[in-house]
Amino acid sequence: MAGMRYFNRFDATAGQNSWPLAILGLGLLTALGTLVRMAHFQNFPRAFLISVVVDPLTLPMVLALRPVFPRRHVESSFQVLRTLVLNTLLCIGAAFVLTCWVRLVTGVTGWHVPNWGALQSWAVPWVYYSIVFAGWRFAQFWSAAELAVHGEKQRAAAAEAEALKAELRHLRHQLDPHFLFNALNGIAVEIPDHPDAAVGMVRELAAYLRYSLDQRDRTVTPLASVLDAARSYLELQKARFGPELDYRLESNEAARRRIVPSFLLQPLVENAVKHGLQAGRAHVDIAIEAVADETRLQISVTGPGELRPDWQSAGDPGVGLSVLNRRLQLHYPGRHEFSLRQTGDMVIAGLLLRGEPCSV
């Protein structure tokens, strides 16, 4: 069925933008006809004159054949075969008409090929022009098929881009509810015993949500904005935990200017805070570092915790890391590395990004 679909498409587009191909083919045919006739007549002026008089008629005949079956809807193998047979018969018929014209010209001029009988005088030009018309028709089909395949690829690429945009929007929207759920739970815990801290957390949450709304229609943004979002989140957590939590953000100017997926670091920072607090440490230090050169961006998020040796095969990595991995695959296909490693009592999440993200 796929082959029939392409046949329909290039048969419907046959002849579109074919004038350059037709003119080029006519020039080549005239040159070839002259060479062939020289071999028979052993006379270049005679061979050239016959070619000039006869061969240009192939162009209007080819153009007349072009629209005969251009938009016939082909649904079955039988219809494909029937269309091909009809085109073949038309080519043979056109070759016969042109052969009659050749015989008329040679009869009027008396320029007959030496040692050729009546059968050869008819059969050789007829076979020759049948091959010419069949080849020309095949070239039309081939050219139109190439255009159809190119158009199909363009449509497929556009559809894929739309699908990727929809998936990225879905993945992006998963982050905000996930974060909001955690933040509201934290505020609810603080309200009974630390109402002032809860008020501060609400303010920080409002600032974060305002930033989130500003980024809602963006799939990519400068790393500086991503770091600002991480800072807002950490300030929100610091308002809750006070001196138990501290953080630092370090980045060079080249890194801050790099374009990256929006909220890229959110799941890594959330995990660093959560696992750091679960480790039972009296003081939790979170460090975010970003360094970039002309081709690569390296980011690390470090926090206290204990990494399971089998973390890569332990099953579900959680919503945050699942979303992060999928977004990296979409934005940096084959151009990213993500790692988790244990260094002493600290867990380091590392990102290595090459080139610019695909903005889908």
Side-chain angles (χ1 to χ4, degrees), residues 1-14 69-76 79-80 83 148:
M1 291 301 297
M4 297 174 199
R5 187 163 58 249
Y6 278 121
F7 188 94
N8 286 333
R9 189 177 300 280
F10 70 66
D11 199 35
T13 56
F69 298 104
R71 293 177 175 83
R72 182 181 297 275
H73 186 61
V74 180
E75 295 180 344
S76 66
Q79 288 178 317
V80 172
T83 301

Side-chain angles (χ1 to χ4, degrees), residues 260-284:
V260 297
S262 57
F263 293 90
L264 175 68
L265 301 182
Q266 189 63 37
L268 299 180
V269 177
E270 284 191 39
N271 279 353
V273 172
K274 180 178 69 174
H275 293 297
L277 294 170
Q278 289 176 349
R281 299 279 293 271
H283 189 78
V284 175

Side-chain angles (χ1 to χ4, degrees), residues 24-48:
L24 176 62
L26 178 60
L28 293 175
L29 178 63
T30 302
L32 177 62
T34 301
L35 292 176
V36 170
R37 291 182 177 93
M38 275 189 61
H40 295 305
F41 289 105
Q42 298 297 316
N43 186 309
F44 176 77
R46 183 176 297 181
F48 178 73

